[in-house]
Amino acid sequence: MDKLKGTVTELRRGKSVSYNPKTGTSVIHAAVFRLDGQLVKIVSSTPLVIAEGQDIVVVGRRRAKVFVAYAHRNLTTGHEGHEGWATRLLVTIFVVTAALWLGSLMGGQYAVVSGIVFVALGFAMAWRSLEVVQALVLLRR
């Protein structure tokens, strides 16, 4: 986990809105910018309070040429945000539990295969949630 601090330049923003009749509307906010020369990407379910020329701190991981920020703090405005972890962790627990229950009803080889797949996906999602929590702890130090 790395921490970067600097001034925002070349800011580009995006927003994705989707609607599902069962779950309602969901909005994903994204920003890509340079932080003292390093390309940074932030994705969040809450609006990003970042503007050109502001000083921010981001915590996350380098992925190839892009620094993916899990948590951020705008030093100019004091606003803090993160990728989100609680909902992802709860949904992961629910989906893995439901998949294992359904797999036990099916029985046989289908149960084993579906169990392995959903446990692996659940582990990956839970790991990402823990990384976001770790980023928040590091950001607040």
Side-chain angles (χ1 to χ4, degrees):
M1 196 73 53
D2 297 313
K3 189 182 221 182
L4 294 178
K5 181 179 179 181
T7 304
V8 175
T9 58
E10 300 178 33
L11 176 65
R12 295 182 302 267
R13 299 171 172 272
K15 180 168 57 171
S16 173
V17 180
S18 60
Y19 175 74
N20 182 329
K22 295 179 182 176
T23 60
T25 303
S26 69
V27 180
I28 302 295
H29 301 270
V32 176
F33 54 91
R34 292 204 178 268
L35 193 59
D36 289 344
Q38 171 68 53
L39 191 60
V40 177
K41 177 178 106 174
I42 298 177
V43 176
S44 176
S45 59
T46 59
L48 298 168
V49 182
I50 299 171
E52 189 84 21
Q54 293 182 331
D55 293 323
I56 70 168
V57 176
V58 295
V59 178
R61 298 224 185 262
R62 293 184 200 284
R63 304 278 187 229
K65 295 180 181 180
V66 178
F67 185 90
V68 179
Y70 300 149
H72 64 280
R73 177 182 298 128
N74 187 325
L75 300 173
T76 307
T77 65
H79 182 267
E80 184 176 290
H82 56 84
E83 187 177 293
W85 63 272
T87 303
R88 177 184 290 134
L89 189 59
L90 290 173
V91 169
T92 299
I93 292 168
F94 173 75
V95 168
V96 169
T97 303
L100 292 175
W101 177 72
L102 287 172
S104 69
L105 292 178
M106 288 189 306
Q109 294 175 349
Y110 294 116
V112 173
V113 172
S114 68
I116 290 170
V117 168
F118 279 100
V119 167
L121 290 172
F123 180 76
M125 294 288 285
W127 183 261
R128 184 61 174 252
S129 294
L130 293 175
E131 282 189 317
V132 174
V133 170
Q134 181 184 8
L136 281 168
V137 169
L138 188 57
L139 180 71
R140 292 176 181 163
R141 284 188 185 165

